[in-house]
Amino acid sequence: MATAGKVIKCKAAVAWEAGKPLSIEEVEVAPPQAMEVRLKILYTALCHTDVYFWEAKGQTPVFPRIFGHEAGGIVESVGEGVTELSPGDHVLPVFTGECGDCRHCLSEESNLCDLLRINTDRGAMIGDGQTRFTARGQPVYHFLGTSTFSEYTVVHVGCIAKIHPAAPLDKVCVLSCGISTGFGATVNVAKPPKGCTVAIFGLGAVGLAAMEGARISGASRIIGVDLNPAKFELAKKFGCTDFVNPKDYDKPVQQVIIEMTNGGVDRSVECTGNAAAMISAFECVHDGWGVAVLVGVAGKDAAFKTHPTNFLNERTLRGTFFGNYKPRTDLPGVVEMYMNKELELEKFITHSVPFSEINTAFDLMLSGESLRCIIRMED
């Protein structure tokens, strides 16, 4: 590429302060340094995590910042030491990584890379602690090591999954975060046997992806649990057979589910981040074999409280991060599942906007209207 080794000027959506609309600005994107890759982003989606850190109500505010972490793009150039990617490769940048060398990466059981695991406070590149973005003459901070709300971005090589060039980036971009997180929580961690009963707590995009995993696994009954009754109609497309709104009952929702299922569900997956829902998800599984999987991220003061007898009676509680997928090793295979029509992605994509209207994507997410809104960078 003629741009390799040079600063690229392009458009990016910059968040100058918490909760204020993003501003489309000309930014300068520096060339990739050692073990880094510069990507041309073609499609990016908005995930609730972007909104959460943009609002910055509960965490360290880091601004100005370029958000975005669910995306698909093409390699523009590579830094020193990068051998596994070349300009033109189709890729998904990922908010967590796989260095390939640490104890976690060498373990078949873990995807929590020591070097590249998620860090929400870091606003610079891991190699030299500097940012690769400049706007209005000042540094602009990165987000989750990806910053995909920019036409070009720089990402550590360990956070990039190389995928099949024929995969449509405007669809598979949603696999780089939320959909893989929910789907993997079910198929890789809960592992529901064919014909079993599954409860899914929280019917946003991640919860519906977990539900899709239960449907594909052949669950005979899938119970969706959410405080918004409007979610049931949409959830039916993902295999939901029953809907429970905890507000409709004067007893704990786990009790309701136990009565509905003759003793409890075989598997449950919690995708809310609410500690009470996590406890309900665990306590609603059947004794002897029930497995509950926690996906949601709870607040810093949250506590999980349940009676030890629930464990002695052979219920299992598991946690998961990014669906237990190793980004570089496993994501290409999830993309292949979509290409082989084993996994549907279209039904997760409810809206699409041009990059100039990125703030509309935030409005749709905040109003609860969208599951995933695709932002088209080239429009």
Side-chain angles (χ1 to χ4, degrees), residues 21-331:
L22 306 187
S23 164
I24 304 279
E25 305 270 343
E26 181 177 88
V27 298
E28 294 185 351
V29 185
Q33 299 303 303
M35 302 312 287
E36 295 173 3
V37 178
R38 190 160 56 183
L39 305 178
K40 178 179 173 64
I41 299 295
L42 297 181
Y43 299 95
T44 184
L46 180 65
C47 166
H48 196 266
T49 306
D50 295 305
V51 177
Y52 181 72
F53 283 90
W54 164 74
E55 290 178 321
K57 288 174 182 169
Q59 343 74 20
T60 320
V62 181
F63 293 95
R65 200 171 205 183
I66 295 172
F67 286 100
H69 63 282
E70 205 172 84
I74 295 175
V75 173
E76 176 269 336
S77 60
V78 301
E80 189 188 330
V82 175
T83 54
E84 54 271 69
L85 290 171
S86 308
D89 284 347
H90 287 223
V91 295
L92 302 179
V94 187
F95 64 92
T96 186
E98 182 184 349
C99 73
D101 299 320
C102 71
R103 285 171 63 195
H104 285 279
C105 287
L106 296 173
S107 159
E108 287 183 12
E109 298 179 62
S110 175
N111 65 343
L112 300 173
C113 175
D114 277 332
L115 180 69
L116 299 169
R117 73 169 69 179
I118 186 170
N119 183 323
T120 57
D121 292 336
R122 188 189 297 128
M125 297 304 289
I126 206 165
D128 61 3
Q130 303 293 309
T131 84
R132 302 286 175 262
F133 297 113
T134 311
R136 299 185 193 173
Q138 68 182 93
V140 177
Y141 295 108
H142 296 245
F143 179 61
L144 300 184
T146 51
S147 291
T148 61
F149 295 166
S150 174
E151 292 175 323
Y152 287 87
T153 188
V154 177
V155 181
H156 190 285
V157 65
C159 299
I160 297 173
K162 180 180 173 179
I163 62 165
H164 197 295
L169 290 170
D170 60 332
K171 305 293 189 295
V172 298
C173 63
V174 298
L175 288 173
S176 69
C177 175
I179 308 311
S180 296
T181 295
F183 187 74
T186 302
V187 300
N188 295 336
V189 187
K191 297 181 176 166
K194 197 170 168 48
C196 77
T197 55
V198 180
I200 307 289
F201 286 72
L203 302 182
V206 175
L208 291 173
M211 187 172 279
E212 180 74 355
R215 184 185 72 80
I216 286 174
S217 300
S220 61
R221 191 175 182 192
I222 301 174
I223 302 167
V225 183
D226 202 285
L227 297 169
N228 179 357
K231 299 271 180 83
F232 183 35
E233 211 42 53
L234 180 61
K236 287 179 184 172
K237 287 189 193 171
F238 298 84
C240 192
T241 56
D242 303 74
F243 180 79
V244 174
N245 182 345
K247 288 194 288 199
D248 293 345
Y249 302 89
D250 53 9
K251 55 186 164 189
V253 69
Q254 52 268 52
Q255 202 54 48
V256 175
I257 292 170
I258 286 167
E259 289 167 15
M260 283 172 69
T261 54
N262 191 23
V265 290
D266 303 308
R267 300 287 187 268
S268 73
V269 185
E270 176 282 325
C271 305
T272 69
N274 176 291
M278 295 178 183
I279 296 163
S280 299
F282 175 57
E283 293 183 352
C284 80
V285 300
H286 206 290
D287 58 2
W289 59 78
V291 179
V293 178
L294 305 185
V295 180
V297 179
K300 63 180 190 312
D301 299 325
F304 186 97
K305 192 176 171 198
T306 191
H307 199 279
T309 307
N310 290 323
F311 292 100
L312 299 181
N313 288 338
E314 298 173 7
R315 291 178 185 85
T316 301
L317 179 64
R318 295 199 58 183
T320 174
F321 171 71
F322 192 49
N324 279 35
Y325 289 116
K326 290 179 186 277
R328 293 204 281 182
T329 303
D330 298 332
L331 267 195

